[in-house]
Amino acid sequence: MTGGPRIAVIGGGPGGLYAAALLKRLDPARQITLYEKNAADVTFGFGVVLSDETLGGIEHADPVVYAALRDEFVRWDDIDIVHRGQVHTSGGHGFSALSRKRLLAVLHERCRELGVTLRFGTRAPSAAELSAGHDLVIAADGVHSETRDAFAADFRPQLTEHHCRYVWLAADFALDAFRFEIAETEHGVAQLHAYPYAPDASTVIVELREEVWRATGLDRMDEDACADYCAKLFPETLAGRRLRGNNSQWTAFRTVVNDSWVRGNVVLVGDAAHTAHFSIGSGTKLAVEDALALAACVEEHEDLPTALAAYEAERRPVVVSTQRAARASLEWFEDLPTYVDQPAHQFAFNLLTRSRRVTHDNLRLRDPEFVRAVEQAADVPEGTPPMFTPFRLGGLTLTNRIVVSAMDMYSAQDGVPGDFHLVHLGSRALGGAGLVMTEMVCVSAEGRITPGCTGLWNARQAESWRRITDFVHAQSPGTAIGVQLGHSGRKGSTRLMWEGIDDPLPDGNWPLVAPSALPYRPGVSQLPREADRAQLRTIRERFRGAAHRAAEAGFDLLELHCAHGYLLSGFLSPLTNHRTDRYGGDLAGRLRFPLEVLDAVREVWPAERALTVRISATDWAEGGTSGQDALDIAAAFAAHGVDAVDVSTGQVVSDERPAYGRSYQTPYADRVRNAVGVPVIAVGALSSWDDVNSLILAGRADLCALARPHLYDPHWTLHAAAEQGYQGPGARWPLPYQAGSRKPPTGRTEAPKPRLTL
């Protein structure tokens, strides 16, 4: 091969063009050809948004491109939210946008100047052909990537189509803010996302759920009729002004995820590799950043396989984080009908914090007046973080919104809690949480998960629990203590967690019962027996007896454990309940036994004490509990008298595939709260007080349960108060600890610095 390395780029969007320009600039000897099937002046959409971080990267990587773009940007700081005739404005956000056509023109010019061969109106040869004749093939061919499809066995894509339809339009005037407007029509809710991209133009995206889109007839309108109809939907923003299209088509957003972005010398960038919903404005940003990272890695590493591996390793964590935020934002807008009745200020705050990237604390830094207005509307006293406001749960008033989540300790003897449990639960009660939960307390010996699990099936156990509740009530009067009652079902008779989680005992196993004779881990776990009617009656009475002992032991709250694949959870999921009698079949049948148990517990649990239930709102597995199932399950438990639903997810089947990430389970609690109207406890990778404040103020949760943070720091709640400068009634320091209520200095770094210059 003569000359420098041969590189083919498939796709003439910003990612492909920028990659070509950077690679050519770094090594002029490279022979780079870019193929774009459309003509050079054909583009879709109108404006693109880039962050200051991305612009800084462009400036550093290619000052010529940055200089050409710098004066083209429209910049603004505000976000306007228009809902039911009210406009709420939040400032301090900082956006930059420009015409997509102008961005492409700048990149075209730069590529030609550097000597990149641009072939517009030319379909690229097949990826296999290009791969054979080039050193590197960059597939920047978009969400419908033919390259990705051709090598699907290597890239292993997962494509998810979502429930809304959207269209890109434009208005011939410049907005002065990023604008959201909500329209409530006779057919359902529609939303507008709009922003300026030129001194005389704005991008306008209109989005509706699929069923609303069809009911309005938009699916049958041509482009002009569609633009006219949409313009009339949003009078506050458009004020009678027209919208126009650009070959604008209604589209269902598709999330693209690939297990790998590299196949030999072929690499995916931009939408071919990953997509992020337009509501967080990251599509072009991600593509440009991909191009920059790819060019840098190719330059930094001598061999291509190492360079491509480095590119993917560098970019994947960034993309995963962005996609997680985009998915949260996308789902928030899909569920918009459940939020439209929120109070106006709360609705605006909820919209702004929907992706979980913007939080209470950083929004307070951007626009303190806006956040204070939201807090005042929610009756949050001045100087009080939302997490330290009280909450009434049935007859129980909690001093703050923090719950120490139920965590199995596997440290009991014959089901009896000992000194370890006294210290463990007592120290966390002294740590300031509004509610401290026990681990799952088993209603019978055969209902234990492991030999180390606690119980409430006899008087000795109840007496030991009384010792713990007495300590909490005497030494931490601002904290309530709750008991979680459960039965292991098919997940019982296993080793202690640190000896092999979910592994059967090597000897001394006890027989298991479950809704159906299905082992938790096929080929590993013990095969349970399908519980017959007599066994179900016995189990129900065991729950009743344990609840009675829990009341005598002094617990303030009782939670029925119907989650995580244990016995009652096993009845609820279609993956674990294959019964053909009245306790199986449809959801009403699957709910029957858990509701019978709840009713039995209610009969003996004091009416003035709180009663909750924990559910798994999804099984993270195909064919499992659906989103509607979760809402119906929560509604059924609420109808039978629970004061709140503790919304967890998963652990029902061993082959689950959870979408782990920061606060990844909280959207499920959010949906239950706002669709069913029942108070909820949110759980799931919550770790910061900022997350808690955001969830509470946005109306996505009433209480927040944290597990691992309380293992790391038993006084997490009091420390959160100290870090926020709060010393009110929502965070009561025990008298012996009050001297520690201020964060101590950490050393000389906090001392005044000497003056060393004039």
Side-chain angles (χ1 to χ4, degrees):
M1 185 183 299
T2 59
R6 298 188 68 205
I7 299 174
V9 181
I10 308 172
L17 287 163
Y18 194 46
L22 290 177
L23 286 165
K24 187 69 172 176
R25 177 174 181 266
L26 290 168
D27 183 357
R30 290 175 176 139
Q31 302 175 59
I32 302 177
T33 303
L34 182 145
Y35 298 89
E36 168 53 51
K37 62 184 179 182
N38 294 305
D41 59 349
V42 172
T43 186
F44 304 99
F46 299 95
V48 297
V49 179
L50 296 174
S51 69
D52 289 342
E53 180 183 40
T54 305
L55 292 175
I58 292 173
E59 182 178 17
H60 183 266
D62 192 338
V64 174
V65 170
Y66 177 78
L69 296 176
R70 181 178 52 211
D71 296 332
E72 302 282 344
F73 281 105
V74 175
R75 301 179 186 274
W76 71 98
D77 292 319
D78 289 348
I79 297 176
D80 289 344
I81 298 152
V82 185
H83 178 41
R84 294 183 175 172
Q86 295 189 49
V87 181
H88 295 279
T89 300
S90 172
H93 296 280
F95 295 98
S96 298
L98 80 162
S99 161
R100 179 180 175 88
K101 184 173 288 190
R102 180 59 186 148
L103 172 62
L104 293 177
V106 167
L107 293 173
H108 292 168
E109 183 178 346
R110 183 58 171 155
C111 283
R112 292 191 182 99
E113 178 183 294
L114 291 166
V116 175
T117 301
L118 301 178
R119 295 187 176 176
F120 292 106
T122 305
R123 183 174 291 276
S126 71
E129 183 180 345
L130 289 173
S131 175
H134 290 76
D135 298 281
L136 173 64
V137 178
I138 300 171
D141 47 349
V143 64
H144 300 292
S145 170
E146 294 179 5
T147 308
R148 185 185 63 230
D149 292 345
F151 297 136
D154 300 282
F155 296 127
R156 300 181 300 283
Q158 299 101 51
L159 310 178
T160 305
E161 193 165 283
H162 299 283
H163 303 301
C164 285
R165 293 278 181 159
Y166 68 96
V167 65
W168 292 80
L169 300 167
D172 292 324
F173 69 95
L175 291 163
D176 58 2
F178 203 119
R179 189 91 163 179
F180 294 98
E181 184 173 342
I182 311 304
E184 296 174 79
T185 76
E186 60 180 321
H187 304 292
V189 178
Q191 59 260 21
L192 170 145
H193 314 239
Y195 56 88
Y197 69 87
D200 58 354
S202 298
T203 292
V204 176
I205 307 169
V206 178
E207 185 180 27
L208 314 87
R209 283 189 65 96
E210 173 91 18
E211 61 272 20
V212 179
W213 174 68
R214 293 190 183 280
T216 60
L218 283 164
D219 60 324
R220 300 183 297 277
M221 295 182 194
D222 64 22
E223 185 177 272
D224 290 339
C226 157
D228 289 343
Y229 183 94
C230 290
K232 294 172 184 175
L233 282 177
F234 304 103
E236 295 289 339
T237 298
L238 298 174
R241 290 171 287 197
R242 294 178 58 82
L243 293 172
R244 58 181 169 82
N246 175 23
N247 193 24
S248 301
Q249 305 292 323
W250 287 97
T251 307
F253 188 81
R254 178 180 291 186
T255 295
V256 175
V257 175
N258 288 276
D259 287 348
S260 173
W261 300 344
V262 177
R263 190 262 188 193
N265 64 345
V266 179
V267 60
L268 303 177
V269 300
D271 284 354
H274 46 71
T275 57
H277 193 249
F278 57 82
S279 61
I280 67 165
S282 289
T284 301
K285 174 182 183 295
L286 286 176
V288 167
E289 291 175 353
D290 281 356
L292 199 157
L294 176 61
C297 289
V298 169
E299 187 69 12
E300 292 164 358
H301 298 278
E302 292 185 2
D303 63 283
L304 186 66
T306 302
L308 298 185
Y311 155 73
E312 183 166 352
E314 176 181 331
R315 290 296 296 156
R316 187 173 285 278
V318 176
V319 167
V320 168
S321 176
T322 302
Q323 286 192 308
R324 188 181 303 124
R327 182 67 178 256
S329 180
L330 176 155
E331 291 177 347
W332 194 91
F333 282 109
E334 285 186 340
D335 293 336
L336 184 58
T338 66
Y339 303 119
V340 292
D341 291 326
Q342 283 189 319
H345 283 86
Q346 186 178 70
F347 177 86
F349 181 85
N350 196 357
L351 188 152
L352 289 172
T353 58
R354 67 196 181 277
S355 73
R356 304 195 290 275
R357 282 194 159 181
V358 176
T359 63
H360 173 267
D361 198 45
N362 62 39
L363 193 54
R364 190 159 53 104
L365 291 174
R366 299 180 192 197
D367 191 342
E369 291 184 5
F370 172 81
V371 173
R372 185 62 203 132
V374 176
E375 291 174 341
Q376 287 176 335
D379 294 324
V380 176
E382 188 168 0
T384 300
M387 66 183 286
F388 290 115
T389 55
F391 185 73
R392 189 166 181 82
L393 200 59
L396 175 66
T397 298
L398 300 176
T399 57
N400 62 54
R401 307 301 186 95
I402 300 300
V403 179
V404 177
S405 197
M407 295 176 279
D408 290 317
M409 293 289 107
Y410 309 108
S411 300
Q413 294 289 328
D414 298 321
V416 178
D419 289 347
F420 175 88
H421 298 84
L422 174 65
V423 174
H424 167 67
L425 294 170
S427 63
R428 279 144 189 87
L430 292 172
L435 172 64
V436 174
M437 292 298 302
T438 70
E439 61 197 84
M440 185 177 91
V441 176
C442 304
V443 299
S444 63
E446 62 275 14
R448 291 174 296 168
I449 308 166
T450 76
C453 290
T454 57
L456 258 174
W457 65 83
N458 62 40
R460 183 182 170 208
Q461 294 160 353
E463 290 169 3
S464 293
W465 283 118
R466 184 80 206 198
R467 176 178 174 232
I468 294 169
T469 62
D470 283 348
F471 176 89
V472 171
H473 293 145
Q475 301 300 327
S476 187
T479 296
I481 183 166
V483 61
Q484 185 187 76
L485 292 184
H487 186 296
S488 63
R490 69 179 189 155
K491 296 178 75 174
S493 192
T494 62
R495 305 181 190 205
L496 304 183
M497 180 180 66
W498 45 86
E499 294 175 352
I501 189 168
D502 295 325
D503 288 341
L505 292 169
D507 52 62
N509 287 278
W510 55 86
L512 304 180
V513 295
S516 300
L518 301 168
Y520 178 62
R521 295 166 64 195
V524 177
S525 301
Q526 183 185 154
L527 180 68
R529 176 182 174 186
E530 181 175 303
D532 59 27
R533 295 289 185 90
Q535 287 172 314
L536 294 182
R537 284 193 297 272
T538 298
I539 291 168
R540 186 179 63 224
E541 293 310 306
R542 294 276 173 81
F543 273 97
R544 188 197 306 269
H548 178 71
R549 294 184 193 93
E552 292 186 329
F555 286 103
D556 303 299
L557 174 147
L558 185 150
E559 179 167 278
L560 190 64
H561 200 343
C562 296
H564 299 171
Y566 298 118
L567 182 75
L568 299 181
S569 170
F571 275 91
L572 295 173
S573 172
L575 297 178
T576 51
N577 184 343
H578 295 179
R579 299 175 74 101
T580 57
D581 64 2
R582 65 195 300 266
Y583 294 109
D586 62 10
L587 182 58
R590 302 198 306 273
L591 266 164
R592 185 168 280 112
F593 184 65
L595 290 175
E596 287 180 0
V597 171
L598 175 63
D599 291 343
V601 166
R602 279 206 60 80
E603 290 174 6
V604 298
W605 184 246
E608 71 277 7
R609 302 192 204 180
L611 180 63
T612 66
V613 61
R614 172 169 270 200
I615 66 170
S616 284
T618 177
D619 299 336
W620 298 111
E622 188 175 352
T625 298
S626 69
Q628 188 59 51
D629 285 346
L631 299 181
D632 292 342
I633 289 168
F637 282 124
H640 280 247
V642 301
D643 297 305
V645 180
D646 185 352
V647 185
S648 187
T649 66
Q651 301 181 53
V652 175
V653 292
S654 60
D655 59 347
E656 66 177 4
R657 296 189 65 181
Y660 291 120
R662 172 172 150 255
S663 59
Y664 72 105
Q665 297 180 92
T666 59
Y668 295 91
D670 180 352
R671 289 191 196 106
V672 169
R673 184 185 191 277
N674 287 288
V676 179
V678 61
V680 299
I681 305 170
V683 304
L686 292 168
S687 58
S688 74
W689 45 259
D690 192 18
D691 283 338
V692 174
N693 285 330
S694 302
L695 289 167
I696 299 301
L697 195 58
R700 296 185 201 136
D702 300 286
L703 300 168
C704 292
L706 298 92
R708 288 178 178 84
H710 282 116
L711 294 179
Y712 180 77
D713 178 4
H715 294 82
W716 185 90
T717 305
L718 293 180
H719 292 158
E723 289 169 10
Q724 296 176 81
Y726 173 73
Q727 295 183 329
R732 301 177 184 175
W733 284 79
L735 291 176
Y737 288 1
Q738 279 192 339
S741 61
R742 290 186 178 181
K743 189 175 182 180
T746 57
R748 288 193 57 177
T749 55
E750 294 187 359
K753 300 291 190 294
R755 181 182 291 275
L756 300 178
T757 59
L758 292 176

